Amino acid sequence: MTVAFLAAPEGTEQVELTSPWQTVLDHGGTPRLISTEPGQIRAFHHLDRADPFMVDAVVADASAADYDALVLPGGVANPDFLRTDRRAVEFVAGFFGRGKPVAVICHGPWTLIEADAVRDRTMTSWPSLRTDLSNAGAHWVDREVVVCTDGPNTLVSSRKPDDLPSFDRALVTAFTAPATP
């Protein structure tokens, strides 16, 4: 299983990238870092600069058809940047159009809103996105992790770094489950 991790050049919450990344590796998958620019991304620990990570592919050259699943880490700046990049939004929408599982945490749903992928979906997020998600047609709940199958794919969502153990378990289950016809 090859899993795309989409991140902006700056602003990704590091642990929301590294924890699911390691979980994918631990379960025999191949994580690939996709960004809007080649080279490296710079992760953050909340508002403090953290580690750089090498980009495997640029979103302009990537297709959802080439991956089995997608992870959207949070961080405030990361999804805000991604939702303004047409190719990033199209890349995300491609996973929904192909019925492939997506996992998103914290502020990551901003990119899903821009891709018009949350309507009629039950999900969670960082609490400040509640109104944004509700206005986009999602049913927002305050839970550690939500797995929603009421749509074209399985959508796993979670609120914050403290929820990562549950998020990681849920995404492994969703990513390794057989696809529904």
Side-chain angles (χ1 to χ4, degrees):
M1 167 159 294
T2 304
V3 179
F5 283 72
L6 180 60
E10 286 194 297
T12 299
E13 184 68 31
Q14 182 161 316
V15 71
E16 293 174 2
L17 171 67
T18 58
S19 182
W21 184 283
Q22 187 61 51
T23 297
V24 168
L25 283 173
D26 290 348
H27 287 84
T30 304
R32 305 274 295 159
L33 184 58
I34 314 301
S35 190
T36 58
E37 297 177 14
Q40 296 180 337
I41 68 159
R42 173 65 67 169
F44 278 70
H45 293 299
H46 190 55
L47 299 175
D48 297 323
R49 290 172 59 90
D51 298 325
F53 294 89
M54 290 302 300
V55 171
D56 294 307
V58 177
V59 75
D61 301 326
S63 168
D66 298 331
Y67 301 93
D68 299 301
L70 171 67
V71 175
L72 292 168
V76 177
N78 173 50
D80 194 47
F81 180 83
L82 292 175
R83 69 182 175 166
T84 65
D85 185 287
R86 179 184 54 81
R87 289 184 172 131
V89 172
E90 290 171 354
F91 180 70
V92 169
F95 284 86
F96 289 83
R98 289 175 175 77
K100 295 183 177 188
V102 172
V104 61
I105 188 167
C106 198
H107 288 79
W110 271 337
T111 309
L112 297 182
I113 290 169
E114 197 63 34
D116 194 23
V118 302
R119 189 173 319 283
D120 299 324
R121 303 303 295 263
T122 300
M123 58 189 306
T124 195
S125 67
W126 185 257
S128 66
L129 274 68
R130 177 183 186 164
T131 300
D132 297 337
L133 284 163
S134 296
N135 287 342
H139 174 66
W140 189 88
V141 294
D142 184 14
R143 290 201 306 249
E144 196 171 60
V145 68
V146 175
V147 178
C148 179
T149 56
D150 295 332
N153 64 341
T154 299
L155 176 59
V156 177
S157 59
S158 197
R159 300 174 302 191
K160 58 189 174 184
D162 290 347
D163 299 336
L164 279 164
S166 295
F167 179 68
D168 292 346
R169 283 189 301 275
L171 74 83
V172 164
T173 300
F175 290 2
T176 58
T180 53

